[in-house]
Every structure is written in structure tokens, then in C-alpha cells.
Amino acid sequence: MAYLVIRDGESWSTIFQLIPGKTTTIGRASTNQIVLSDDRCSRTHAEVYYNSGDWYVRDLNSRNGTYLNADPVTTDMRLEPGQILRIGKTLLYFVENVQQAYAKSSAPLPLTDPQMTIGVNGAGAQQRESELITHRRNKTQLLDQGIQPADVRGKTSMTTDLCKLALDLSRVDDFKEAADKALEALMEHIPVDIGAVMLLPPEILPERFTNASQLQLLTFQSRRGVKYRGVSDFLATTVVREGQGIMAQDIGEDSSLAQKDSRGELDAKSMICAPLRFEHSILGLIHLFSTDAMEKPVPADLDYALAVADALAVVFDNLNHRNQLARNLKKVESENMQLRRQLGVQSELVGNSQIMMDITEQIALAAGSKATVLIRGESGTGKELVARAIHYSSVRANNAFLCLNCAALSEDLLASELFGHEKGAFTGATERKIGKFEAADGGTLMLDEIGEMSPNIQAKFLRVLEGHPFERVGGNKPITVDVRVIAATNRDLEKEVTDKNFRRDLFFRLRVLEIVVPPLRKRPEDIITLSEYFLKRFKDETGRKIEGFTPSAMRCLQEYRWPGNVRELKNVIERAVVLCRSARISESDLLLSNLATAGDSFTAGPQQEKISFTPCSLTDMEARHIEAMMKYCEWNKSRAASLLGIERSTLDRKLLRYKIRKPAGVWDDEKD
């Protein structure tokens, strides 16, 4: 039987039994029998096997090599009881009975680890450095409950001060400030003249660290005017690679542990170097030294330096994470703003209000889906712009986006526009026509004023939405397309369903996703933004030199209710730019109507006088209002429809419904 005793921290504690006939692999990967959490250990580093009565070790082409005592393992080497295997920073002691294993588990460590200084200063310097370095330590004993106060000088006082320092460091949000506080605490307790904190760049791994010039000096503090000359290559390499704290006394003339001054002399007499360790990473080191031969650090000082270094490393890691989160947040905000700007350019959606931000987010969510979208809102709020934004933000952006107003066509023409027709299908069909559904294959079809669609078209339209093929008017060939439908309406579809004017199943099929575009009066903070946007746009188009709005004009824009919403604001600004005779647009340049908004039937505009209230039905009020508007516009239907905020075809139907006709002898003014 044989055993490997594995070093754990400052003691030999883990005993692994070797079984004849079974090869034991050692490495960093979890598939090994002995797993070492060592950065210098390869995934599968070495193996130990039994052959003809003896145990052998074999290196498996590891990156940093395997050592038996001080000799590199280049071939299969026989193991003798008492020999030490070195793999990275880990030592494994080979014994042949359990008594030896337990005896070794409580025995002290060697003064120096095998191969600690190989390749740094040569074999001649190895013995001298071993004599000068009085203590090496992996972790502080200061906070170890098993250490008695007599073992560590001033443990109670140091522990209290360390807790206070940790609390102070937790409130710091700057690397240099934290390092300065740590150095102040160290130089207050340890007899040294100078201290420095140096950082290891994150792109340099400890195993690839070669010299002190790779470290970056963060800060240093000095007493008695002593100049900081840096840390030696040997010292920096040993601490960074091994992750151990080192203390040396009576350095003398050993240049491997201190830097010479301009006269070629060493002014350092004793020194401490502690790594900044966080988990398995080395962030840098703390370098302390004394120029007074009478003031020497003791082992308790090394413990305190290690404790402060560990606390500082935690602060540095937290600051790194905090800075990274701040950078990521800033990057995300920048990307969001960029995407919103791109979306605004594509769709001309303008506004900084929270309502517009919410709509932008809804557009982004809808763009990533294939579902049907129902856009609702008053006339002039920008429903088509929202539909365009959804299309151009989706994967269909490179394909067609078509828009069709369902209220502008009769039932037969709407069927022809949607599904197409064959030659001779009806009078005037002189050739075959491709419908909107076919033309938008792979893209998006927006159907505006969907509430005006007749029941017959609704039934056929529903089948197409469900994925069924359709036929052109007058044809018999089934056609299947891939089209995303976006519907828009300013009508109350729930009421239309209740009144049996709109199919219930079609309503629910359209309303998979719903975006409600609020009227302009619901987001007054966007009025100034939109006004300035339209002013710049029309200034560029007309070449007018207009500086902006007068305060009274700005106040008038904000107080007006905007029954025509963004469309009306756009037209008002365009007219003001054309007719403005001064450097600024004044209140007199703004042509505002006396119409009430859709939700405020009796709300007067800024120029409207109070009127007496006469009870009447909504139908009678609409008929009176349309007749009054026609008279005001001298029976120009296009102008009246524009002021009413409805389509021309809708106005025609309402004139027919309410039997409103021109008086005999009135000139028919249809100039558009």
C-alpha cells in the first residue's frame, strides 16, 4: 500500500490512498482522481501507477512540468518513501504506510518549497535567498481562532484595527483612495519607511508573469524622504506566481530582494511583500520595506500585511465589478438611445415623454413577434407611423410594407385591392391584378380604418388571417402567402362587435397584440419637442430663416387641445413657417380651430366663446356639426374632411346618411 499526502495551506492534511493496478491521475480537471485547484496545474498533469512491485510517476506533457524533489520528471521515475512531488504550487508527499502518512500530516513544512527559485537567479543565488527570506505565508493567522494572543504580537489590537480598516475601505469608491488608506494602516503598525501598491494588468496571467516592469504602480507613501525605487524582479515574480507573502530581514547587499539607488547602493534593510489575492486571482501586491537596520518587521507584521492585502483585494474586486456594471449600463443605455433614434428616423416617431418611451418599447417587443397587431387611437395620432416602425424593426424590414385604407373603397373594390382579380372578373377588369396580400408576401400589410370593412370582406379576411389560401376575384387558383397584418382603427371595436357591425372572431384574431397611441393632449410634454421638430423640418424645406417661437406662441401651442393631434400640429407649423413675416413665429401666425376634441365634446378651444347648452343626441349633434363645417368650408369636401379629422370617403357616407345637401345655386367648390 502507498499514500500521497497533499499539502493544504500551511499543513499536510489530505491523505490519498494509492491502489495497485489502478492508475491515479492528477490534474485540474474534475475527471482526475486527485483534483488540484491550482492555476499552474494542467487539466491532466501527471499520473502515478504501480508496476512490478514499485510505484512510478509520469508527467503527461504538462505545461509547467512535474518535479520529484528538485528534479524534473522527464521520464517515468520510481517513487521512494519520503520523496515530495511538486505540481504547480502543490506538494504531494509519498509514503508507504498510514503511520507515516499521519506523522507527515502533523509535521512542519520545509523552509522553502522545492524549485521555488529555479530559473530566477540561478542555483548559486537559491541558497542565499533561502537564508534571507525568513518567512513565507499563504494566509494570515491573524483571524485564525486557533491562534492564541501570545502567538501573534498584539493580535487583539491588530484585529480591531483591521475591522475598522475594512469598514473604512467599504465606503471607498476609488482605487487610489482605497490603496492609500491601506498603506496608512500598514505603516502605522509595521516599522517600515515606505510602502507601495502595485497592480497586475488583467491581461497578464500569474504564470506568464516574468518581471516587475509588468506591474503598474498605483500609489506609494514614504517617510523620512525615502524614495521608492520599485520592487525587484525576483521578489515580484515569487509573490505573483506563488501567491505567498514574504518577509526578509537583514537584506544586506542582496540585489535580488531590493533595488539599488543612483549610487549603486541598497538602502532597504528589511522588507515585506504581500499579494493582493481574490479567490484564485492575483490582482497585484503590496511592497513594504525599512531603511533602518534597527527596525525589523516580525512574523506578526507579515500576518497583518496579508490581512490588509486580502481586504484591499476584496475592495478592488468590488470596484472592478461596479465599474464593469456601470460601463455595461452605460453601453446598454447608449444602445437603447441609438435604437430609439434609429426607430425615430425610420418612423418619424418624435417625443421624449414617458408615454412615447413606453410605446417605443411596445414597438420593439411587437417587432420581435409574428403576431397580428391592432393599433388604436384617434385620427392623426400616428398609427401608420407606429406600424412602419414595427415593420422596419422586424426581420421583414427588407421586404414590402403596404398600406390600404379600408374606408376609402367600396366592398367590391376593397376585395379586389386585397386579393386581386383575374382579367374579365368584372366590368373594367381588362387585365389581371395582383392584390395587396400577394404583393406583401414576406412583408407587412397595414389595414387602416379596419372598422369600416364590410361583413362579407371580414369573413374572407378572417380565413386568410387563419392561414387558409385565398383566390383572386374571378379566379379559382388557391394562393398562399406569408404576410404579417397590422390593423389600425379610431373606432371603438368593442362597441362595433356589440352592435354586430364587426365580427367577434375577427376582433379577437386581430387583437393578439394591441398598441394604443394616445392623443397629443394626453402627452403635452411632447408638444414643444414636436413643434421644434416640425419647425426645423419645414425650415430646411423652405429655406426660411426662422429662429423659433415667441413665448406667447409657445404658450398657445401648449394650451391648445389639438383635436387633430400630431397631424394638425404638423399642418399648423407648416403654415406658420410659410406665412411668418418675422424672425420668430408669433401667436398670430398659428391657425387654430374651434373644434372640440374627440373626448371633449363641449371643450372650447382658446379662441372659442362659451355657448349655451341644448340637450340633443350624439347623432343630431354630429349632423349639425358636419353641416356647419360644410358651410364654413363653402362645401369643399376635402377641406371639411381635413378639419374634421376624417377621410373624404367617410365624410361622403355621413353626408349621405344625414341627407346633408348643398343649397340650390351654391357654387360647387371642390378645389383640393
Side-chain angles (χ1 to χ4, degrees):
M1 302 300 292
Y3 303 87
L4 286 176
V5 186
I6 304 172
R7 170 178 168 176
D8 182 12
E10 292 291 319
S11 62
W12 302 86
S13 60
T14 304
I15 301 174
F16 188 88
Q17 182 179 357
L18 301 175
I19 301 175
K22 182 178 180 180
T23 299
T24 300
T25 60
I26 307 171
R28 187 160 40 87
S30 60
T31 54
N32 295 285
Q33 282 73 43
I34 299 179
V35 180
L36 303 180
S37 57
D38 190 333
D39 294 334
R40 299 180 63 185
C41 179
S42 300
R43 292 183 60 82
T44 305
H45 195 104
E47 64 181 11
V48 177
Y49 65 94
Y50 185 82
N51 185 24
S52 302
D54 293 311
W55 288 94
Y56 292 83
V57 61
R58 175 187 299 158
D59 184 83
L60 300 177
N61 298 319
S62 64
R63 181 177 56 187
N64 294 312
T66 304
Y67 295 89
L68 182 59
N69 288 343
D71 299 321
V73 178
T74 56
T75 61
D76 292 7
M77 299 182 67
R78 189 165 61 89
L79 292 171
E80 296 287 345
Q83 290 182 321
I84 294 179
L85 280 174
R86 177 179 173 78
I87 295 178
K89 295 179 289 187
T90 306
L91 303 180
L92 301 95
Y93 187 68
F94 178 75
V95 296
E96 287 188 340
N97 59 67
V98 177
Q99 289 77 14
Q100 287 179 327
Y102 279 99
K104 186 61 185 175
S105 67
S106 59
L109 291 174
L111 290 178
T112 58
D113 293 341
Q115 300 300 310
M116 183 67 71
T117 57
I118 284 181
V120 179
N121 291 292
Q126 181 176 349
Q127 180 63 29
R128 183 171 68 255
E129 290 151 2
S130 298
E131 294 172 353
L132 293 173
I133 298 175
T134 60
H135 289 79
R136 296 174 183 266
R137 191 153 292 169
N138 280 328
K139 62 180 181 180
T140 180
Q141 297 178 355
L142 188 60
L143 302 178
D144 194 334
Q145 296 299 324
I147 303 295
Q148 299 301 319
D151 299 325
V152 178
R153 183 183 66 186
K155 177 184 177 184
T156 303
S157 174
M158 284 186 171
T159 303
T160 303
D161 292 342
L162 184 62
C163 293
K164 181 178 181 300
L165 174 63
L167 182 61
D168 292 339
L169 291 177
S170 66
R171 301 167 180 167
V172 175
D173 56 2
D174 178 74
F175 287 89
K176 186 177 183 303
E177 184 181 355
D180 285 334
K181 285 183 177 294
L183 289 178
E184 290 173 3
L186 288 168
M187 296 179 70
E188 180 180 350
H189 288 87
I190 302 176
V192 291
D193 300 319
I194 195 164
V197 176
M198 310 187 77
L199 298 181
L200 181 67
E203 65 272 11
I204 300 179
L205 299 176
E207 57 266 26
R208 297 184 180 179
F209 183 81
T210 57
N211 56 74
S213 63
Q214 294 175 290
L215 293 170
Q216 299 173 350
L217 178 64
L218 176 61
T219 186
F220 72 92
Q221 294 182 13
S222 175
R223 297 173 181 167
R224 305 174 187 171
V226 179
K227 183 178 180 181
Y228 182 65
R229 307 187 191 284
V231 63
S232 67
D233 288 341
F234 164 73
L235 192 60
T237 304
T238 303
V239 172
V240 171
R241 285 186 174 181
E242 302 300 328
Q244 288 184 327
I246 291 178
M247 184 179 72
Q249 298 175 343
D250 300 324
I251 294 173
E253 296 298 321
D254 196 308
S255 60
S256 65
L257 296 177
Q259 299 282 47
K260 294 182 179 181
D261 60 17
S262 59
R263 296 175 296 177
E265 298 179 358
L266 296 175
D267 51 5
K269 305 305 179 184
S270 303
M271 70 86 202
I272 289 178
C273 199
L276 298 173
R277 303 166 299 189
F278 184 79
E279 295 181 347
H280 301 295
S281 301
I282 302 295
L283 308 181
L285 57 85
I286 295 177
H287 183 211
L288 308 168
F289 66 84
S290 172
T291 59
D292 189 344
M294 302 303 295
E295 294 185 351
K296 300 179 182 180
V298 296
D301 297 326
L302 177 58
D303 274 300
Y304 187 71
L306 285 171
V308 172
D310 289 344
L312 186 60
V314 172
V315 173
F316 280 0
D317 185 76
N318 290 338
L319 290 177
N320 280 327
H321 280 292
R322 187 187 306 173
N323 292 342
Q324 184 63 42
L325 288 173
R327 288 192 294 268
N328 291 342
L329 180 60
K330 186 175 181 181
K331 181 180 178 182
V332 169
E333 290 176 348
S334 176
E335 291 176 351
N336 286 344
M337 291 300 297
Q338 183 178 359
L339 290 174
R340 285 172 176 172
R341 284 195 298 267
Q342 292 175 354
L343 187 60
V345 170
Q346 292 173 356
S347 65
E348 294 186 357
L349 283 175
V350 179
N352 298 320
S353 64
Q354 184 59 47
I355 293 177
M356 289 305 298
M357 294 298 180
D358 294 341
I359 290 178
T360 302
E361 293 179 4
Q362 293 178 49
I363 290 172
L365 294 174
S369 169
K370 298 180 180 179
T372 305
V373 182
L374 177 62
I375 304 174
R376 307 174 74 170
E378 296 179 9
S379 180
T381 53
K383 297 187 292 296
E384 182 177 345
L385 302 183
V386 173
R388 289 183 182 275
I390 294 173
H391 170 75
Y392 288 112
S393 300
S394 69
V395 295
R396 301 173 180 263
N398 295 327
N399 297 326
F401 174 82
L402 301 180
C403 184
L404 179 63
N405 191 328
C406 299
L409 302 170
S410 63
E411 180 177 330
D412 293 338
L413 288 178
L414 181 58
S416 175
E417 285 292 325
L418 285 175
F419 309 112
H421 62 256
E422 298 290 349
K423 181 179 180 180
F426 51 83
T427 303
T430 58
E431 58 184 9
R432 188 177 69 177
K433 178 181 179 179
I434 300 299
K436 298 294 185 185
F437 267 106
E438 283 186 81
D441 189 19
T444 304
L445 175 61
M446 178 192 175
L447 298 178
D448 198 7
E449 301 294 345
I450 190 72
E452 305 290 340
M453 185 179 287
S454 66
N456 291 335
I457 301 297
Q458 290 179 29
K460 190 172 184 180
F461 177 52
L462 178 61
R463 284 188 54 82
V464 178
L465 283 182
E466 296 291 349
H468 297 285
F470 63 91
E471 299 173 355
R472 300 189 189 99
V473 177
N476 54 16
K477 179 182 178 181
I479 301 171
T480 303
V481 294
D482 175 23
V483 175
R484 181 180 193 175
V485 173
I486 299 178
T489 182
N490 59 5
R491 303 182 68 173
D492 185 354
L493 288 187
E494 287 91 341
K495 183 177 184 304
E496 296 296 318
V497 170
T498 303
D499 295 342
K500 301 187 182 305
N501 295 325
F502 199 82
R503 292 179 63 102
R504 179 185 297 269
D505 48 3
L506 178 57
F507 170 72
F508 290 116
R509 185 63 183 83
L510 289 174
R511 199 190 181 191
V512 178
L513 298 175
E514 183 180 56
I515 297 178
V516 178
V517 185
L520 187 55
R521 64 182 177 275
K522 298 294 185 181
R523 48 187 181 104
E525 56 268 41
D526 287 335
I527 293 176
I528 300 304
T529 303
L530 285 164
S531 300
E532 293 175 348
Y533 170 79
F534 288 129
L535 175 60
K536 183 180 182 303
R537 173 177 170 180
F538 295 125
K539 277 170 53 180
D540 294 340
E541 290 181 3
T542 60
R544 297 293 306 275
K545 305 296 182 182
I546 300 176
E547 299 177 0
F549 300 91
T550 64
S552 61
M554 193 68 73
R555 185 169 54 255
C556 184
L557 290 172
Q558 290 179 298
E559 293 176 352
Y560 184 55
R561 297 285 290 173
W562 299 107
N565 293 298
V566 181
R567 181 188 292 124
E568 182 184 6
L569 175 60
K570 173 186 173 183
N571 295 337
V572 167
I573 301 300
E574 182 177 13
R575 176 187 182 278
V577 169
V578 174
L579 301 181
C580 180
R581 298 181 181 180
S582 60
R584 291 180 175 272
I585 295 177
S586 64
E587 184 177 0
S588 61
D589 296 320
L590 303 176
L591 180 61
L592 304 178
S593 72
N594 295 325
L595 293 176
T597 60
D600 305 305
S601 301
F602 297 101
T603 301
Q607 301 172 351
Q608 185 176 9
E609 298 179 357
K610 294 183 179 180
I611 58 175
S612 59
F613 173 72
T614 303
C616 65
S617 66
L618 290 176
T619 301
D620 292 338
M621 175 170 285
E622 184 179 43
R624 295 176 188 174
H625 184 67
I626 291 176
E627 184 175 10
M629 182 62 70
M630 292 299 296
K631 293 178 180 179
Y632 174 81
C633 296
E634 299 178 346
W635 297 92
N636 186 318
K637 296 180 181 178
S638 298
R639 184 183 175 193
S642 177
L643 291 176
L644 289 169
I646 60 177
E647 299 295 334
R648 164 70 181 272
S649 57
T650 304
L651 178 60
D652 287 334
R653 287 196 301 275
K654 291 182 180 298
L655 292 174
L656 184 62
R657 181 189 306 169
Y658 298 131
K659 299 179 181 180
I660 300 174
R661 299 184 180 86
K662 298 190 305 292
V666 175
W667 179 256
D668 188 5
D669 185 5
E670 279 300 314
K671 296 178 182 179
D672 292 338

